[in-house]
Amino acid sequence: DPQIAKTRAFDEANNELIKKMESYVERIAKRLSHSEHNEATDDIYASALTDKFTQITQGMRGRIRECMVIPETTDRGYTCSYIAVVSLKDFNKALKDGIAKDKTLSAQTKMEDFDKASDEAWDNMASRRDSYNNEDNQ
């Protein structure tokens, strides 16, 4: 059934994107916790950031949109591949809003440090992806 194939493919694409987003926010939380506090409070701050970021990341599930679907009919039936997309700018804004709405996190987080941490996290993920793609092409 083509609709079942599309639904399954879209769900898988969403789940994969959520995993990537979770990895991204984990990197940001680690970077911020090391730049903001001494070692005694790192774990508490990092845990609070991670909890907030996880909540926001899971909330993005409904905001991920279909960008491109590639349907195929094979001898085994229907298959679909999706590319799911979420705006990094919108995602970072949601993370910043989450920090701003939390009194403790907003008092402990410098937004300039958030911007640096998010840029570094994205650069690191992009360079790892590029490295992986280059290995596939050789």
Side-chain angles (χ1 to χ4, degrees):
D1 180 347
Q3 190 55 46
I4 291 173
K6 282 182 76 172
T7 300
R8 241 186 233 151
F10 186 66
D11 289 345
E12 287 177 24
N14 274 297
N15 289 335
E16 186 63 31
L17 187 55
I18 291 292
K19 284 182 196 173
K20 298 263 189 234
M21 292 164 62
E22 286 171 343
S23 175
Y24 173 70
V25 296
E26 183 180 305
R27 290 171 189 272
I28 294 171
K30 282 182 184 176
R31 173 77 165 97
L32 285 175
S33 68
H34 292 296
S35 68
E36 295 289 327
H37 302 284
N38 62 36
E39 288 182 26
T41 59
D42 274 354
D43 290 342
I44 296 167
Y45 178 70
S47 178
L49 270 176
T50 300
D51 290 348
K52 178 60 73 178
F53 287 173
T54 298
Q55 178 185 11
I56 292 166
T57 300
Q58 291 301 319
M60 294 300 285
R61 202 174 275 280
R63 296 175 60 188
I64 295 170
R65 60 183 166 79
E66 167 187 331
C67 180
M68 184 173 81
V69 62
I70 305 165
E72 296 178 36
T73 305
T74 65
D75 56 345
R76 293 181 12 198
Y78 297 99
T79 62
C80 284
S81 299
Y82 268 99
I83 297 175
V85 177
V86 67
S87 163
L88 188 60
K89 182 178 174 182
D90 291 345
F91 185 49
N92 282 343
K93 182 179 180 330
L95 295 174
K96 285 181 174 182
D97 289 348
I99 291 171
K101 291 177 183 175
D102 184 297
K103 286 183 183 181
T104 304
L105 290 178
S106 66
Q108 295 178 321
T109 306
K110 295 176 187 164
M111 284 302 131
E112 304 85 39
D113 289 342
F114 175 90
D115 291 337
K116 287 179 191 173
S118 63
D119 287 345
E120 286 177 17
W122 178 251
D123 289 346
N124 187 287
M125 290 177 72
S127 67
R128 290 180 75 204
R129 183 193 67 233
D130 291 344
S131 172
Y132 177 77
N133 288 339
N134 286 338
E135 288 173 12
D136 285 349
N137 293 328
Q138 294 178 0

